[in-house]
Amino acid sequence: MADFLFEPHAPVSIPIARGGLFAVRRVYCVGRNYAEHIKEMGNDVKDPPFFFAKPADAVVVGGAGIDYPPQTSDFHHEVELVVAIGKDGADIAAEDALTHVYGYACGLDMTRRDLQAVAKKAGRPWEMAKGFDQSAPIGTIEPAEAIGHPTSGAITLSVNGEERQRGDLGDQIWSVPETIAYLSQFVTLRAGDLIMTGTPAGVGPVVRGDRIEGAIAGVGTVRTVIG
Ligand code: MN
């Protein structure tokens, strides 16, 4: 036993639909990937993609509730397709990218929008707006072997049963292979990494007591309650 000062934290893991657990290493997120959401945020559709990250232990699984976070009064939902990487690689060619994908899930990129607005205006990092505790509820991972590699299908989010977000995976500006190829030019991707691929239009605030359900046709769902 190594001489650790304290017991190392167990890896955060996500249930796999067919059984077993997917141990999370890193969580990358695409900043903008659906034209209608880019327009609602007042940005230029033609900009190249950019990435930010959340800590692995921001992931929340099993439909568990999340706390309304501190330091915000504008806590937003963003429903996203989550890509689960199953094979290491750097400088991955788009043509080979899908061989690095283990599976997919539906996830939420929860955002302190007011802090993000301040960070954007000041040219500061987004960590405190995006990478806070419990900011990434994620549903069960479906292996690509079982569901294939979805390129179209509805991606939706409802709050208390009322639909707030709706888009189609086919509307993503950067496809999953293109996103993997681009991101892997900057960092080595490894098994256990997740990529949250951006959200469609309709983002908005939630309050304590709200029940959130995200769904992606052919992939799955994610649920949480704001406590
Ligand atoms: Mn997002």
Side-chain angles (χ1 to χ4, degrees), residues 27-105:
V27 183
Y28 294 103
C29 306
V30 180
R32 295 167 189 148
N33 208 17
Y34 292 80
E36 291 306 313
H37 174 59
I38 292 172
K39 288 180 202 159
E40 80 178 347
M41 299 300 285
N43 295 305
D44 188 336
V45 176
K46 293 186 293 291
D47 283 345
F50 64 92
F51 299 93
F52 58 91
K54 293 175 185 268
D57 69 357
V59 172
V60 175
V61 300
I66 62 174
D67 296 326
Y68 194 95
Q71 301 294 331
T72 186
S73 54
D74 198 20
F75 186 37
H76 275 211
H77 54 74
E78 297 189 356
V79 63
E80 313 208 351
L81 174 70
V82 181
V83 179
I85 298 294
K87 188 174 86 178
D88 299 2
D91 286 320
I92 298 165
E95 308 82 69
D96 300 330
L98 293 180
T99 68
H100 292 262
V101 176
Y102 173 75
Y104 298 89

Side-chain angles (χ1 to χ4, degrees), residues 143-187:
E145 267 182 30
I147 65 164
H149 296 278
T151 55
S152 66
I155 174 169
T156 58
L157 180 139
S158 65
V159 178
N160 303 324
E162 185 180 313
E163 187 173 291
R164 296 275 184 88
Q165 289 190 261
R166 174 170 286 273
D168 193 287
L169 296 182
D171 296 333
Q172 289 196 329
I173 294 165
W174 296 82
S175 68
V176 169
E178 288 168 340
T179 299
I180 290 170
Y182 194 74
L183 178 57
S184 72
Q185 292 175 22
F186 294 86
V187 290

Side-chain angles (χ1 to χ4, degrees), residues 29-32 37 52 54 77-80 108-111 113 116 126 130 196-199 203:
C29 306
V30 180
R32 295 167 189 148
H37 174 59
F52 58 91
K54 293 175 185 268
H77 54 74
E78 297 189 356
V79 63
E80 313 208 351
L108 303 175
D109 169 16
M110 298 304 294
T111 302
R113 193 72 72 199
Q116 186 193 28
W126 286 15
K130 291 287 197 177
M196 304 188 75
T197 59
T199 197
V203 300

